[in-house]
Amino acid sequence: MKGLNYSFVRAICALIIGLVLVMFPEQAGDYFVITIGVVFLIPSLISLIGYFAQRAEERRRFPIEGVGSLLFGLWLVIMPAFFADLLTFVLGFILVMGGVQQIASLAGARRWMPVPGGFYVVPVLILIAGLVALFNPTGVRSTAFIIIGASSMVYAVSELVNWFKFTRRRPQMPTNMPAKDSEDIEDAEIIE
């Protein structure tokens, strides 16, 4: 599509996701898992319907992957709360790893320059949030989704500001410019 700006589309999608996560944190986890389940269901149904729509002599092999994807998608749709709790464990692990990595980076930076103690506050808070999510996933699920939603909205606003300030003003290449490489080369005469 001509004129479609992907950074603008990303920003709008991030803003919508962020708003949903902040406004409905209790239901957002379940609906997110149900959406993933539907993403598994659609291609599996297409592959199974395609298999049975073929004539018997044209069929190659039964789509086992389609059945597995169908069963997994149904499981996600039927039991979204279970998987939303698992999602919180994954998020907690990512937060713990992110906090540890940031603390290690700051400690490494102390070798060549002084690092004030205030720089350690955010990584320690990230580490604590990750530990709480790991040891109490059901209690922090809505809080974790609110934090993710708020972060997503901050990203969306930042992306929109960048789009308005920089991307829209990028000079456009004229479409009728001659190709330099092909016109600069002349045919050589062969001298015998």
Side-chain angles (χ1 to χ4, degrees):
M1 293 172 66
K2 186 177 181 180
L4 179 66
N5 189 305
Y6 292 109
S7 68
F8 181 74
V9 172
R10 274 194 315 266
I12 296 301
C13 290
L15 185 62
I16 292 168
I17 290 169
L19 285 172
V20 168
L21 289 173
V22 169
M23 293 171 58
F24 310 106
E26 291 295 327
Q27 298 87 6
D30 292 344
Y31 288 127
F32 182 66
V33 171
I34 289 171
T35 303
I36 294 171
V38 170
V39 168
F40 273 94
L41 284 174
I42 291 172
S44 66
L45 288 174
I46 291 171
S47 70
L48 290 171
I49 290 169
Y51 175 78
F52 288 114
Q54 292 177 340
R55 289 183 286 181
E57 58 272 359
E58 293 177 357
R59 293 182 188 159
R60 299 214 169 172
R61 66 175 186 88
F62 187 74
I64 302 272
E65 306 88 15
V67 173
S69 182
L70 177 74
L71 294 174
F72 185 62
L74 285 173
W75 191 16
L76 288 171
V77 169
I78 293 169
M79 297 179 60
F82 171 74
F83 288 100
D85 289 341
L86 287 179
L87 185 64
T88 308
F89 272 118
V90 171
L91 174 65
F93 180 72
I94 290 170
L95 289 174
V96 166
M97 295 306 293
V100 167
Q101 186 274 329
Q102 286 183 349
I103 291 170
S105 294
L106 290 172
R110 291 181 72 178
R111 284 187 235 149
W112 64 84
M113 65 181 292
V115 178
F119 282 92
Y120 288 94
V121 172
V122 172
V124 168
L125 290 175
I126 291 171
L127 178 64
I128 291 171
L131 291 172
V132 170
L134 283 176
F135 293 110
N136 188 12
T138 56
V140 299
R141 183 167 78 184
S142 62
T143 305
F145 285 133
I146 289 172
I147 292 169
I148 293 170
S151 301
S152 181
M153 289 191 303
V154 168
Y155 166 77
V157 169
S158 170
E159 190 76 19
L160 283 173
V161 167
N162 290 341
W163 181 73
F164 279 117
K165 192 165 184 128
F166 304 113
T167 309
R168 284 185 344 152
R169 296 183 181 158
R170 182 185 309 157
Q172 299 293 323
M173 294 290 293
T175 55
N176 58 356
M177 281 185 62
K180 264 189 155 181
D181 295 337
S182 61
E183 290 186 5
D184 288 345
I185 300 174
E186 296 180 13
D187 289 335
E189 288 183 28
I190 300 176
I191 301 175
E192 293 183 27

